[in-house]
Amino acid sequence: SGRLDGSSKFGTLNKYGFFPSVSAAWRISKEKFFSQFEAVNDLKLRMSAGTVGNEGIPSGSTLSLLGNRPYFFGEGSSAKVIGSYVYSLQNNDLKWEVTKQFDVGMDLSMFRSRIEFTAETYLKNTSDLLLYLPVNRSSGFDYVWSNVGDLQNRGMEFSLNTINLEDEFKWSTRFNLSFNRNEVTNLDKSNNIYGTAIMNILDWTMISEGEPVGVIYGYKSDGIIQIDEDPAQVPFFPSKIARFGDRKYIDKNKDGKLTVDDYYKLGNAHPDFSFGFKNTISYKNFSLDIYIQGDYGNEIVNFNRFQLESFDGFQNNSAVALERWTVDNPTNKYPRANASPHGIVMSDVVVEDGSYARLKEVILSYSIPQKLLNKFKIKNIQLAVSGRNLITLTHYSGYDPEVSIYGGSVFGKGADYGAYPMAKSVLFSINATF
């Protein structure tokens, strides 16, 4: 197959893109030589390759667009006037983001479909990545939509469906497991592209050639400056003076001061793997569904802790403020209270393990016997009670490990700053068919 797509979102010479694809499959279980394997009722190998275009950007992205901004006039005047300014840079060369994908998979069904297994591996190469790119404000603009480079995703996915018990007591299980690794293979616009600023911290995440999207960067903490140390000998931030009770950080390049050159890789917002596990049990008119999901191996930046552990006296703090460093409590975990804090520093202190397993949904239902319903000419009545997000197992200290304040943005993965957590809910329902 092949499709020709056009979009007015792109530049004058790049409105159209052609995207072909091909797929093939071989059902081995239909071959004569396979008839001796009676336990296998279906076996299929499949392959697909193709391209797809992405135009998921706002209309008018190639144009210079206007925004509103307040202006103040007169010396010492508080009069505010709303004016317009051009905030985005025009880009007539903007074009389709193209993903080329190659898949190989296998479908296996055994024992009259009581066991079904699927395995799939894929390779996705995305070129001309579309990104809302910050530009140097000395240009007079804030951002520009641009094609910035290439990205590769590769991974494997497995699923297993089984019918464990049948007849009057039924029990079936579904399990899926997925692995994905990505890497920025080319950046033709910049050496590094820095992410969205949170708490005035701009470079906590960035896109770098040869690295995955979603790598978290920052300082590595090294305890607290104690009374028996000389603060003047502790590497610290330029224009700031280190004092007893301040947090120490590792001077990576040994130049005696702390800058972004001393940043380490502190984690990855993408999990090593994700999984889902569902069991369905039924007996007579009762049915029970239990669904568990989770991620393993990802990190989260808990930006809430910048506020709650500031110890500056200007805002509410968490109870750990009682454990802060003092002369009488020389802890090596929390710094001193300070009206001019150095607390807003991106470091491993606020990077936490985001792995979790969650009891996502439980549904218990009961269908009223048909004999009773026939008397009232009712086709079906089902009573059910369901619960969502009932139990979460995690080491993350925030409200919810399943969080990202910027949704699917490549710059906001793994960021938790005031995000509303998943609600725990219980629902009672009646479903009737007349």
Side-chain angles (χ1 to χ4, degrees):
S1 68
R3 60 181 291 158
L4 180 68
D5 288 332
S7 175
S8 59
K9 296 179 180 179
F10 296 111
T12 312
L13 302 177
N14 302 300
K15 292 187 182 298
Y16 293 92
F18 178 67
F19 309 108
S21 62
V22 61
S23 63
W26 178 25
R27 194 176 296 276
I28 302 175
S29 56
K30 294 294 185 180
E31 301 290 352
K32 292 182 179 180
F33 68 81
F34 202 81
S35 60
Q36 57 182 312
F37 301 100
E38 297 181 358
V40 178
N41 53 279
D42 189 28
L43 176 61
K44 180 173 70 174
L45 299 180
R46 48 189 169 78
M47 178 277 296
S48 65
T51 60
V52 64
N54 175 28
E55 55 142 7
I57 57 176
S59 299
S61 296
T62 60
L63 307 176
S64 288
L65 302 178
L66 294 175
N68 294 328
R69 176 177 289 172
Y71 295 88
F72 297 89
F73 291 91
E75 184 176 351
S77 173
S78 60
K80 181 172 70 173
V81 177
I82 301 299
S84 297
Y85 74 108
V86 179
Y87 70 88
S88 65
L89 183 63
Q90 183 171 339
N91 183 6
N92 289 328
D93 295 325
L94 196 66
K95 57 186 176 180
W96 287 86
E97 177 182 295
V98 179
T99 297
K100 299 177 182 178
Q101 181 166 341
F102 179 74
D103 292 84
V104 176
M106 178 195 74
D107 300 321
L108 172 65
S109 179
M110 301 177 64
F111 306 114
R112 293 177 299 174
S113 299
R114 291 194 63 169
I115 298 177
E116 295 179 338
F117 176 74
T118 299
E120 186 167 355
T121 182
Y122 60 87
L123 177 66
K124 296 171 64 175
N125 289 308
T126 302
S127 58
D128 299 318
L129 284 162
L130 290 168
L131 191 66
Y132 198 40
L133 190 66
V135 296
N136 194 317
R137 290 191 176 183
S138 63
S139 66
F141 303 95
D142 293 339
Y143 295 94
V144 61
W145 275 103
S146 184
N147 301 99
V148 299
D150 306 324
L151 175 71
Q152 182 183 88
N153 280 276
R154 61 190 185 278
M156 302 183 72
E157 297 178 348
F158 303 94
S159 67
L160 176 65
N161 302 333
T162 63
I163 299 175
N164 308 314
L165 296 172
E166 47 186 359
D167 297 325
E168 189 173 33
F169 188 92
K170 298 179 176 65
W171 174 27
S172 62
T173 299
R174 296 191 175 203
F175 177 73
N176 62 74
L177 186 66
S178 62
F179 302 82
N180 182 74
R181 301 292 181 268
N182 69 49
E183 179 186 346
V184 178
T185 55
N186 174 48
L187 278 182
D188 54 13
K189 299 293 184 183
S190 173
N191 292 328
N192 296 305
I193 300 175
Y194 293 98
T196 303
I198 303 177
M199 298 286 297
N200 295 320
I201 299 176
L202 174 63
D203 42 7
W204 66 277
T205 182
M206 61 185 174
I207 298 176
S208 304
E209 192 170 304
E211 297 287 347
V213 174
V215 174
I216 300 166
Y217 295 89
Y219 297 103
K220 278 190 177 180
S221 59
D222 192 27
I224 305 294
I225 302 176
Q226 303 295 339
I227 294 295
D228 58 356
E229 297 180 81
D230 181 3
Q233 301 302 315
V234 175
F236 213 61
F237 303 99
S239 75
K240 293 185 178 181
I241 300 174
R243 302 188 185 280
F244 297 119
D246 286 336
R247 197 183 298 278
K248 296 184 295 183
Y249 302 95
I250 295 176
D251 181 15
K252 184 178 179 181
N253 59 6
K254 307 297 182 183
D255 63 355
K257 58 185 177 180
L258 298 175
T259 66
V260 292
D261 294 331
D262 299 308
Y263 268 15
Y264 286 85
K265 296 178 189 176
L266 302 179
N268 192 335
H270 295 276
D272 293 339
F273 64 85
S274 302
F275 68 90
F277 185 52
K278 183 177 182 179
N279 281 278
T280 300
I281 301 170
S282 60
Y283 177 70
K284 293 185 177 180
N285 291 354
F286 288 93
S287 178
L288 177 64
D289 289 282
I290 302 173
Y291 175 49
I292 300 171
Q293 72 165 43
D295 291 335
Y296 178 81
N298 62 301
E299 279 75 35
I300 298 175
V301 183
N302 191 348
F303 284 97
N304 305 294
R305 293 179 61 182
F306 285 127
Q307 298 280 3
L308 298 176
E309 298 177 10
S310 61
F311 310 152
D312 58 10
F314 293 103
Q315 57 199 356
N316 288 337
N317 280 191
S318 64
V320 299
L322 300 175
E323 303 174 32
R324 68 189 185 278
W325 186 94
T326 65
V327 175
D328 298 325
N329 181 43
T331 177
N332 218 27
K333 186 174 183 180
Y334 297 108
R336 65 189 175 101
N338 186 0
S340 179
H342 308 308
I344 305 179
V345 176
M346 184 61 209
S347 73
D348 57 350
V349 172
V350 294
V351 178
E352 303 182 32
D353 181 9
S355 304
Y356 74 94
R358 168 169 281 164
L359 184 57
K360 190 68 176 178
E361 189 172 52
V362 177
I363 303 175
L364 176 63
S365 61
Y366 174 72
S367 296
I368 295 179
Q370 194 64 48
K371 290 182 180 181
L372 180 61
L373 297 178
N374 288 339
K375 298 178 181 180
F376 302 96
K377 297 183 179 180
I378 299 175
K379 187 176 181 180
N380 177 65
I381 293 181
Q382 186 183 66
L383 309 177
V385 57
S386 61
R388 294 185 177 180
N389 307 313
L390 297 179
I391 300 174
T392 302
L393 302 178
T394 182
H395 292 296
Y396 180 57
S397 67
Y399 286 119
D400 193 345
E402 194 178 356
V403 65
S404 179
I405 61 173
Y406 291 108
S409 168
V410 295
F411 283 136
K413 290 183 180 297
D416 181 10
Y417 183 39
Y420 199 84
M422 293 279 185
K424 182 186 296 184
S425 62
V426 178
L427 178 69
F428 298 89
S429 63
I430 300 176
N431 191 328
T433 304
F434 299 93

